[in-house]
Amino acid sequence: MSNNPELPWPQPDQRFRHWASQFADMHDLVRDLVIPSGLPQAAESVMTTARELIRMSYYRYEFMMIGAATSIIAIETALTARYGKGSLADHLKKARADGILTEEQYDLLDGFGRPIRNKFAHGDMTHAALTPPLAVGIVRTSLTILTELHGLTSAREGVTESDEVTFPPA
């Protein structure tokens, strides 16, 4: 047995008190972040992780930013597969020009998502800078774009009960 004390059980992050009064409320926050059937396994794994990081941000607010950054990494991988080598900024511009991204999606991914991803990738992320709705919006947009890039139906269409995220009662 180690002489190191056990880590404490996670406590709610006080910065989240305005968004959720209990962990069970986090289900409502991420309810529409449904991973579509047929998404490549790697993208499914990354997007599931992004969604769960947002859920777990109830205990550590910064997880929300990491979740948003993680979803941008999935977009970057998919756009690189489509356009080849290049920067995320260039790929986003090409996707907008090709009609894959709407202007609003481009603004969200390039204006908020890409800088968050860059800060995360370069170790510069030191404080919480996102609200939960903005983080969810980035992940939702990433899911929408991945769905379109992989020729799938929308994330909500064709969702079966087994696809839904379920949580134990609080």
Side-chain angles (χ1 to χ4, degrees):
M1 179 143 180
S2 169
N3 290 341
N4 294 333
E6 292 290 321
L7 291 173
W9 285 100
Q11 296 296 314
D13 190 313
Q14 288 302 307
R15 294 170 288 179
F16 224 99
R17 70 186 175 280
H18 301 293
W19 303 101
S21 61
Q22 59 184 347
F23 181 71
D25 295 339
M26 297 304 289
H27 179 64
D28 291 335
L29 186 66
V30 300
R31 182 179 309 281
D32 71 333
L33 299 180
V34 176
I35 312 302
S37 297
L39 203 60
Q41 185 177 4
E44 177 185 349
S45 177
V46 169
M47 294 309 297
T48 300
T49 300
R51 179 188 64 209
E52 291 306 299
L53 282 164
I54 289 177
R55 233 172 37 95
M56 293 299 157
S57 67
Y58 179 78
Y59 295 108
R60 182 69 185 177
Y61 203 82
E62 286 80 6
F63 286 175
M64 204 168 21
M65 291 175 296
I66 297 167
T70 299
S71 77
I72 299 300
I73 291 167
I75 292 295
E76 184 172 20
T77 301
L79 291 175
T80 297
R82 181 179 185 100
Y83 295 118
K85 200 171 185 177
S87 71
L88 176 59
D90 289 341
H91 288 336
L92 290 172
K93 287 176 189 169
K94 288 176 187 175
R96 182 184 60 186
D98 290 347
I100 296 169
L101 295 175
T102 66
E103 194 65 33
E104 182 180 343
Q105 290 168 331
Y106 173 80
D107 290 344
L108 184 62
L109 294 177
D110 190 61
F112 290 100
R114 190 174 58 80
I116 290 166
R117 173 248 177 237
N118 290 346
K119 286 181 179 188
F120 177 62
H122 299 290
D124 296 334
M125 192 171 295
T126 58
H127 65 282
L130 285 179
T131 64
L134 186 54
V136 167
I138 290 169
V139 174
R140 183 185 309 110
T141 299
S142 296
L143 276 168
T144 300
I145 301 311
L146 286 170
T147 299
E148 292 172 10
L149 285 171
H150 292 289
L152 304 172
T153 58
S154 78
R156 291 299 311 170
E157 290 177 32
V159 172
T160 65
E161 211 171 288
S162 64
D163 294 327
E164 289 287 346
V165 180
T166 56
F167 305 101

